[in-house]
Amino acid sequence: MPVFRFSKVKLPLQNANNLLKTKQTMSRLQRLPKLVYTNFSTCYRHWNYIIFIVLLISFSCENKQDKLPAGDLDNGGLIIPGGFEALVVIDSAGPTRHITVNDNGDIYAKLRFSRDKKGGTIGMRDLNGDGKADSVVRFGDYESVGGSAVGVTIHNGYLYTSTVTQVLRNKLSPGELVPSSKTEVILTDTHPNVARNWHTTKPAAFDGKGNMYIPFGSPSDAGQDIEIYGPTGTPEGKGLDPSPEREMNAGVWKFDANKEGQFQSDGIKYATGLRSIVGMTWSPLDDQLYGVVNGIDNFHTLYPKLYSSWQAAVLPSEKLVKITEGADFGWPYAYYDHLQEKNVLSPGYGGDGKIIGRAADFDNPVVGFPGHWAPMDLHFYQGNQFPERDKKGVFVAFHGSTDRSPYPQAGFIVCFVPLDNGIAGDWEVFADGFAGVDTVENTGDAKYRPMGLAEGPDGSLYISDSNKGKIWRVMYKGNKKEFGEKQLDEMNQLTTNKTYIKTPVEGVDNLDKGSLLEGGILYNTYCATCHQRNGQGDNNRFPPLAQSERVVGDPEILVESILNGIQGEITVRGKTFNGYMPPHANILDDLAVASITTYIRSRWGNKASAITPSEVTKIRAKVVK
């Protein structure tokens, strides 16, 4: 192949031809003087014009900010640092989870679930260069069961997608938005608890050496006997010791990224002690695997003598972890406390919030975030559009909490964690404004919930929302050399006092202040963590109680649900839910159940009769085993 020679630099003629064919280069050429443009094909074929070619390459690689589309006047409702702009790519794609962006700018989003045979993945393309999605297509010849499947990423020309039970891939061909290739089944999860385990998310990460890493979440909350008591545990909250879940769950397994038909037994257990990983990726900073981990719940409900409602709202920490081979992060025996900055013994294994014991033997996270913020995705920025400091850290998207009541729900932001040789600095709020309100009393009050992160070929950062499927594109148009403390201080002033960001003040920020009837107090203690204080549920796993046929109908249905809990799918107001409700028969007496039932049946537009303790007694004798 002929090559251009200039000093010691060699440019293959084929690469020069490819350069001329790219959309970006052609758009640049159209701005050159007409004489040069019309005679370019003649010029570049002569060796004498190598200088012209070098200048052209330099011209096409200059600052690309002038090619970025205009941001929305209000930045799509986002609060972002100075110099950044944002636009809404699509306003309502449907309840999306993770997203990924192809080299040509096509966006792919994984839907929460798909049962209508229209496909569980969405492909989006900008046809006119304004940054908005003009072509939107649903596809995917699979059925996505449940609401936690998140995985979608592009690796080595393949689109990898995940359901609750499988990891799939399709070869992407140039020009295609929807892949026409055969769907390959790379991994199938046959665990007996997979159908009722909402921690079964399978984001795929790749190390560049032909290996794929997949987390297998824990079916239980804190290592209790799920076969007898369900995911949230025994009345005493005691965990099994040793925990059988650590054998085939609560860890990360390594697989062959290119081999079809694999099962968990084909993989190698890479790390353990990780309850629920929803976001995982390989870091270009230190060539290591990183993930974000959701911590356990129900501290005050299960251990009211050990943990106050305030402690249960802020603990245990959510974690950013570096996952090295053989690492053990301690679940369910230990949890991380970011307030004390150390691992402590879990209460289900003899801990009281202070005892360390065997917790000292486990690996520490890179960062401990506030409890229940629900980190969903992470991204190591590699582009050249953002300030250089953004290439020395990681972005994390927080979905927002559901179980911090009676304190405000929290999270609902995208943050940036600076990293220096694997050591984290103080995390910073990068994008705010998703919640739409200052105090999120109920999770459903939040207008949008950040979910997925992805980087475009030009270095733009994309953020997805799981409520409506809104997707933002964040761009930097300021002076990269001037970005620094001034912009960070301005962001801090705008966000630091938000109730969903700051650490709540014990007692002062308690939303239960004032006089409430016993039923309301008990509801907010035991029920609002899932069904929310407004009775509307979380629009995901937990159904609404407001105007629910299960609430205002036969009272035995509601009483039995409180006593025995619910496991499996139920339909409320025409929508299917598959969350888990723990039994309260051994926690609440008949008067307490009657008070809660009466409260629920008389709130949020419900107009059903009250229930007496004697009626609960009769129902308990009939339904509790």
Side-chain angles (χ1 to χ4, degrees), residues 65-82:
Q65 292 178 342
D66 61 333
K67 296 183 297 180
L68 296 172
D72 295 335
L73 293 178
D74 64 347
N75 288 324
L78 297 187
I79 300 169
I80 47 183

Side-chain angles (χ1 to χ4, degrees), residues 226-289:
I226 61 172
E227 296 301 325
I228 298 177
Y229 297 104
T232 56
T234 69
E236 302 83 14
K238 187 176 182 180
L240 295 175
D241 196 2
S243 174
E245 291 184 51
R246 286 167 57 97
E247 296 179 11
M248 300 300 291
N249 294 97
V252 174
W253 271 253
K254 181 169 71 172
F255 299 90
D256 186 332
N258 300 300
K259 182 180 178 182
E260 294 185 62
Q262 297 178 88
F263 299 94
Q264 188 177 14
S265 58
D266 295 310
I268 298 172
K269 191 173 185 179
Y270 190 74
T272 190
L274 297 158
R275 170 184 177 260
S276 175
I277 291 180
V278 184
M280 193 169 70
T281 191
W282 202 267
S283 168
L285 298 181
D286 55 6
D287 199 28
Q288 295 289 341
L289 183 65

Side-chain angles (χ1 to χ4, degrees), residues 509-521:
D509 292 321
N510 187 327
L511 298 175
D512 275 349
K513 289 184 300 180
S515 176
L516 289 173
L517 296 175
E518 182 179 4
I521 296 172

Side-chain angles (χ1 to χ4, degrees), residues 338-522:
H338 63 286
L339 303 177
Q340 300 185 63
E341 297 185 339
K342 59 185 177 183
N343 286 318
V344 296
L345 194 64
S346 291
Y349 294 86
D352 62 358
K354 298 178 181 179
I355 298 173
I356 296 177
R358 57 175 157 169
D361 299 332
F362 301 120
D363 292 294
N364 287 318
V366 177
V367 178
F369 298 107
H372 316 296
W373 277 29
M376 293 286 120
D377 204 2
L378 72 167
H379 178 73
F380 289 88
Y381 187 80
Q382 301 178 61
N384 295 316
Q385 184 190 128
F386 284 18
E388 286 300 310
R389 71 185 305 273
D390 292 333
K391 298 172 73 170
K392 300 175 182 178
V394 60
F395 291 92
V396 181
F398 293 97
H399 202 217
S401 66
T402 61
D403 52 357
R404 285 168 64 106
S405 180
Y407 289 86
Q409 305 297 342
F412 311 104
I413 62 168
V414 174
C415 84
F416 177 74
V417 181
L419 294 174
D420 184 5
N421 293 322
I423 306 299
D426 294 335
W427 58 266
E428 310 153 359
V429 178
F430 173 74
D432 184 19
F434 300 95
V437 294
D438 192 345
T439 300
V440 184
E441 187 171 341
N442 307 279
T443 303
D445 296 340
K447 191 172 183 180
Y448 303 107
R449 301 181 70 186
M451 184 70 206
L453 300 171
E455 186 177 325
D458 65 355
S460 296
L461 182 69
Y462 292 78
I463 306 170
S464 68
D465 147 69
S466 71
N467 276 356
K468 298 181 180 179
K470 195 167 189 173
I471 298 176
W472 293 264
R473 177 179 175 180
V474 181
M475 306 163 288
Y476 187 72
K477 297 186 178 181
N479 187 323
K480 292 194 290 186
K481 295 181 179 179
E482 295 180 355
F483 187 89
E485 294 301 321
K486 177 177 181 293
Q487 291 80 3
L488 297 177
D489 288 342
E490 290 173 348
M491 276 296 292
N492 187 56
Q493 292 176 23
L494 289 172
T495 61
T496 189
N497 290 319
K498 298 286 184 68
T499 60
Y500 52 84
I501 295 176
K502 72 173 187 175
T503 299
V505 178
E506 186 170 8
V508 175
D509 292 321
N510 187 327
L511 298 175
D512 275 349
K513 289 184 300 180
S515 176
L516 289 173
L517 296 175
E518 182 179 4
I521 296 172
L522 291 168

